[in-house]
Amino acid sequence: MREIVIQQLTREAFAPFGDVIQIEGANSFPINHGMCVRYHDLAKVETTGDNARTLISLLRGKPYELPLKLEMVERHPLGSQAFVPLSSNPFLVVAAHDHPDGPTDPVAFLTQPGQGVNIHRNVWHGILTPLEGQSDFVVIDRGGDGVNLQEHFYPEAFLIR
């Protein structure tokens, strides 16, 4: 079984796959008569296809334990998918580049408190993987007509450490 070493989630490292949603380093300005700060335009939400619309949903995920066996990745060809945690529990983000033969070997990132991700449209990624306790997430993704899910099963599983 091939191994994947988890790396820290940073904007630079994750840029080929999407956006890191966090306050640190974000463009901001005061609103509401100076009583609030808006951290502006943190992610590019993408929706395409017939009757496309942006959805906001809540997910409650049970925790996974490491090391973790990874056999499958998925992608959404018609829209991006953002995960914003409502707790300080970390979660694992797995992503892979596209290749004519399917996804490449994946990489894995570990979030820090206050970080979410927006996975760009058509990017291969792992499923939602909370760690260290049940976790709730705001999910922003695409609704509408058409098939917006493709799955790829690797011929040999990976072990994420």
Side-chain angles (χ1 to χ4, degrees):
M1 192 175 308
R2 297 177 287 174
E3 285 195 14
I4 300 171
V5 177
I6 299 169
Q7 54 188 295
Q8 183 177 348
L9 180 68
T10 66
R11 282 190 172 104
E12 298 76 24
F14 194 69
F17 309 109
D19 311 298
V20 175
I21 301 169
Q22 66 183 21
I23 288 175
E24 182 183 317
N27 179 29
S28 65
F29 51 88
I31 62 171
N32 297 340
H33 308 287
M35 297 300 289
C36 186
V37 175
R38 179 178 176 135
Y39 297 92
H40 188 68
D41 197 15
L42 300 177
K44 178 183 176 186
V45 177
E46 302 169 282
T47 57
T48 64
D50 294 337
N51 299 311
R53 63 189 182 94
T54 303
L55 303 176
I56 298 176
S57 305
L58 296 175
L59 296 181
R60 176 164 289 154
K62 295 179 181 178
Y64 287 80
E65 291 188 19
L66 296 174
L68 178 69
K69 186 176 172 183
L70 176 75
E71 299 177 293
M72 184 271 297
V73 290
E74 64 182 35
R75 68 178 175 182
H76 307 284
L78 301 177
S80 58
Q81 191 172 46
F83 298 94
V84 180
L86 297 176
S87 76
S88 60
N89 292 337
F91 64 103
L92 191 65
V93 181
V94 173
H97 293 285
D98 194 27
H99 185 271
D101 297 330
T104 61
D105 288 356
V107 293
F109 301 95
L110 182 65
T111 65
Q112 300 299 311
Q115 287 183 315
V117 294
N118 179 56
I119 300 165
H120 287 173
R121 180 174 69 86
N122 222 24
V123 169
W124 293 105
H125 62 89
I127 61 173
L128 181 64
T129 311
L131 303 170
E132 298 181 14
Q134 180 174 288
S135 300
D136 294 340
F137 295 83
V138 174
V139 179
I140 303 160
D141 59 2
R142 181 212 181 264
D145 298 339
V147 177
N148 193 31
L149 176 64
Q150 296 175 342
E151 296 178 334
H152 174 83
F153 289 85
Y154 287 103
E156 180 185 352
F158 293 88
L159 187 65
I160 301 174
R161 294 189 178 277

